[in-house]
Amino acid sequence: MSYIGNTPAENYASFLTETFSVSATVNYTLSHAVTNENEIRLVINGVVQQPGSGKAYFVSNRTIYLNFIC
């Protein structure tokens, strides 16, 4: 069958999910290492957080560091 435009995907991507129930902590340990914060999506109480040093959070190896701006 031919298509106009892009060929539809035949496979779907699956993403790992981790849930943390601990609060009042500035860092969390992931179950696997990541290269940088752009490899993950951090959502706190339904709000997607902006990645990057000086923003909401950054990641190093297996640890997420939260930045608290006062």
Side-chain angles (χ1 to χ4, degrees):
M1 180 181 250
S2 61
Y3 293 92
I4 296 175
N6 297 331
T7 304
E10 294 181 17
N11 297 318
Y12 295 94
S14 177
F15 299 98
L16 294 174
T17 301
E18 292 194 39
T19 303
F20 301 100
S21 60
V22 179
S23 61
T25 303
V26 295
N27 57 16
Y28 296 89
T29 303
L30 298 169
S31 63
H32 63 284
V34 295
T35 304
N36 61 47
E37 56 273 351
N38 294 319
E39 290 187 10
I40 65 170
R41 171 181 265 182
L42 178 63
V43 180
I44 299 175
N45 293 330
V47 179
V48 176
Q49 303 299 306
Q50 188 174 15
S53 182
K55 299 196 174 141
Y57 70 97
F58 67 97
V59 176
S60 177
N61 195 12
R62 291 179 53 184
T63 306
I64 299 174
Y65 298 94
L66 301 177
N67 295 321
F68 292 101
I69 301 171
C70 298

